[in-house]
Amino acid sequence: MKRCWIAGWVLCLSLATSYSADNLWTGAVSSDWNVKENWADGNVPDAVWFSLDGTNGDNAVVSTTTPNIATITADILYTPNDIIVNSG
């Protein structure tokens, strides 16, 4: 029983150390955060608990030099793990 309990903790810790994927803002269509075509991965960044590729949600990486600067409004549909702002 003790070995099973330890194995369970090891599994939990391995899931907790999974990484987030960076999804880059392109602003190709508009400045609307909720439009999937504005993101390099083709989807709006979202924090999920677990995905099949081992990632733990998305980080939104936005730049202040893209054609359309990302605009976050009160009606944001998805919330990323983190928002990273690059100046160039």
Side-chain angles (χ1 to χ4, degrees):
M1 179 69 178
K2 188 174 184 179
R3 287 183 189 189
C4 183
W5 186 79
I6 291 171
W9 271 105
V10 169
L11 177 61
C12 286
L13 290 175
S14 67
L15 291 175
T17 58
S18 60
Y19 61 96
S20 298
D22 287 347
N23 192 352
L24 305 175
W25 172 263
T26 65
V29 176
S30 67
S31 62
D32 189 340
W33 182 276
N34 297 315
V35 175
K36 66 180 185 174
E37 290 83 8
N38 284 326
W39 295 96
D41 288 351
N43 62 317
V44 180
D46 189 20
V48 293
W49 291 104
F50 179 74
S51 64
L52 296 177
D53 66 357
T55 60
N56 188 21
D58 294 321
N59 292 325
V61 180
V62 297
S63 174
T64 59
T65 60
T66 57
N68 294 300
I69 305 300
T71 303
I72 303 172
T73 61
D75 64 343
I76 187 171
L77 298 177
Y78 305 98
T79 305
N81 282 337
D82 201 0
I83 299 174
I84 303 164
V85 180
N86 292 333
S87 62

